[in-house]
């Protein structure tokens, strides 16, 4: 790694962003061992609705059972391993059926039928159900964990949020689970997932590539990283009426947001793959799906008060601000990815003081990838 000099700290070496073997270890030791934000609960709005998501090296199937509860399974038929659901999203009436040999499972994962199964009385249907994946709902999203013994949700996911906002109850002011989806954009980014996390964690780049954002949040033009300061939210510019692309008025403040949070922006990184952006009238929620060492799909939700969405309100100016930020950020990450394999970056680069907290993220990743298996 590059040797730190004075104010500069060393980054990870370039091959941590390009080596397929390192990415496999990250899949195994990060994405397949911790809590992973999979789907928005409201997307599965009725029994039989399902969505498949890539979690590490596994396809995970999330569905809603007949009682209305969310359940998660490995998307693998117990017969000969065929992919059970081949579409990213869909809906079944009462059961999940493998398209290969028609083995059929109910919405709780129990094997209910298969061709000629009655001729095999010794087969224990109960032992051949789908492999269950741990699931926890929080803030309107379903989080899954592939580990046989999942880590504490409170000490990992919830702790990340509480540590950033200065308390475990702060996020509750925004009542995210009660908000409605106003818009969703999906971005296919030709960059390593860590570059995207690092970008989101710092604002040293903001004055360079985010003119619209710094007009609304002038503090960001100074390169300060809001996430470095517990409980801090940059204040809107005096002339900005709302968090919109042109500084025009947004919508009414969400009912639970206190005066202290009015006209302020808060960003939270929930390791390893969630970004939460809080402003008084809406919430922007990013989920990353790392698919290869140089490819990451990011799904971004804009969430508003239900009455705003139900009224068919024009959301364009509200959505456009962070959509532009996303495009600007992801373009920067895609410009960076090719250089990760350059001999000039073999030993890595450096972090300036306003980026030093990224070093903690690097230590977190390294500790999991290189720690005891």
């Amino acid at each position: 790694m590059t040797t730190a000099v004075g104010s500069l700290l060393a980054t990870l070496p370039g091959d941590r962003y390009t080596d397929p073997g390192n990415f496999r270890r990250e899949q195994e030791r990060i994405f397949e061992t911790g809590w992973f934000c999979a789907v928005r609960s409201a997307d599965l709005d009725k029994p039989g609705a399902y969505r498949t998501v890539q979690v590490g090296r596994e396809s995970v199937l999330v569905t809603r059972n007949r009682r209305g509860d969310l359940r998660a399974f490995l998307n693998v038929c117990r017969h000969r391993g065929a992919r059970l659901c081949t579409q990213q999203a869909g809906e079944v009436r009462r059961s999940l059926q493998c398209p290969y040999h028609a083995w059929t499972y109910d919405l709780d994962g129990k094997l209910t039928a298969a061709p000629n199964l009655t001729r095999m009385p010794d087969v224990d249907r109960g032992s051949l159900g789908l492999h269950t994946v741990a699931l926890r709902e929080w803030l309107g999203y379903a989080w899954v964990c592939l580990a046989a013994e999942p880590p504490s949700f409170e000490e990992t996911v919830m702790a990340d949020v509480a540590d950033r906002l200065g308390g475990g109850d702060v996020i509750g002011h925004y009542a995210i689970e009660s908000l409605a989806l106003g818009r969703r954009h999906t971005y296919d980014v030709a960059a390593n997932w860590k570059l995207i996390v690092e970008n989101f964690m710092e604002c040293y780049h903001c004055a360079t590539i985010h003119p619209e954002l710094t007009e609304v949040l002038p503090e960001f033009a100074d390169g300060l990283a809001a996430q470095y300061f517990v409980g801090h939210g940059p204040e809107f510019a005096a002339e900005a009426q709302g968090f919109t692309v042109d500084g025009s008025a947004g919508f009414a403040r969400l009912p639970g947001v206190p005066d202290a949070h009015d006209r302020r922006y808060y960003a939270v990184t929930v390791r390893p793959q969630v970004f939460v952006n809080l402003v008084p009238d809406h919430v922007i929620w990013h989920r990353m799906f790392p698919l290869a060492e140089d490819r990451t799909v990011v799904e971004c939700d804009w969430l508003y008060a239900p009455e705003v969405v139900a009224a068919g309100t024009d959301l364009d100016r509200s959505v456009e601000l962070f959509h532009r930020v996303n495009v600007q950020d992801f373009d920067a990450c895609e410009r960076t990815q090719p250089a990760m394999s350059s001999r000039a970056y073999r030993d890595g680069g450096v972090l300036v003081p306003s980026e030093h907290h990224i070093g903690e993220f690097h230590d977190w990743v390294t500790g999991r990838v290189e720690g005891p298996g």
Side-chain angles (χ1 to χ4, degrees), residues 178-226:
S178 70
L179 301 182
L181 180 66
R183 194 76 56 82
R184 173 174 290 161
H185 281 296
T186 300
Y187 308 87
D188 200 331
V189 188
N192 184 273
W193 69 278
K194 296 187 296 299
L195 291 178
I196 299 174
V197 175
E198 294 161 14
N199 174 278
F200 186 75
M201 292 181 71
E202 54 92 359
C203 211
Y204 192 46
H205 68 277
C206 288
T208 307
I209 70 172
H210 295 321
E212 299 88 357
L213 184 63
T214 53
E215 283 290 320
V216 177
L217 300 174
E219 178 183 307
F220 277 0
D222 296 328
L224 298 177

Side-chain angles (χ1 to χ4, degrees), residues 130-323:
L130 299 176
H131 286 289
T132 301
V133 173
L135 184 148
R136 176 80 176 262
E137 286 188 82
W138 190 53
L139 302 180
Y141 286 81
W143 308 67
V144 299
C145 183
L146 298 178
E149 297 183 6
S152 166
F153 191 85
E154 290 74 13
E155 294 175 8
T156 53
V157 173
M158 296 176 73
D160 271 354
V161 175
D163 290 348
R164 165 66 183 101
L165 296 178
D169 60 337
V170 178
I171 193 74
H173 297 322
Y174 293 82
I176 298 174
E177 65 281 355
S178 70
L179 301 182
L181 180 66
R183 194 76 56 82
R184 173 174 290 161
H185 281 296
T186 300
Y187 308 87
D188 200 331
V189 188
N192 184 273
W193 69 278
K194 296 187 296 299
L195 291 178
I196 299 174
V197 175
E198 294 161 14
N199 174 278
F200 186 75
M201 292 181 71
E202 54 92 359
C203 211
Y204 192 46
H205 68 277
C206 288
T208 307
I209 70 172
H210 295 321
E212 299 88 357
L213 184 63
T214 53
E215 283 290 320
V216 177
L217 300 174
E219 178 183 307
F220 277 0
D222 296 328
L224 298 177
Q227 290 201 66
Y228 181 76
F229 303 101
V230 175
H232 175 64
E235 191 172 5
F236 293 4
E239 63 274 16
Q241 298 179 59
F243 196 74
T244 57
V245 71
D246 56 3
S248 59
F251 309 105
R253 193 197 318 180
L254 296 172
V257 175
D259 290 344
H261 281 213
D262 193 22
R263 294 183 57 78
R264 290 187 179 273
Y265 162 81
Y266 296 86
V268 184
T269 299
V270 185
R271 296 168 295 185
Q273 47 81 242
V274 171
F275 309 142
V276 186
N277 309 270
L278 306 169
V279 292
D281 64 338
H282 66 283
V283 171
I284 307 160
W285 187 289
H286 295 72
R287 281 168 290 149
M288 292 195 306
F289 298 90
L291 301 183
E293 63 276 5
D294 58 358
R295 184 184 174 210
T296 308
V297 169
V298 183
E299 193 163 88
C300 186
D301 293 343
W302 280 260
L303 307 172
Y304 298 86
E307 60 270 20
V308 170
V309 177
T313 309
D314 184 358
L315 304 175
D316 286 351
R317 287 177 298 177
S318 177
V319 170
E320 182 64 20
L321 175 56
F322 226 87
H323 172 59

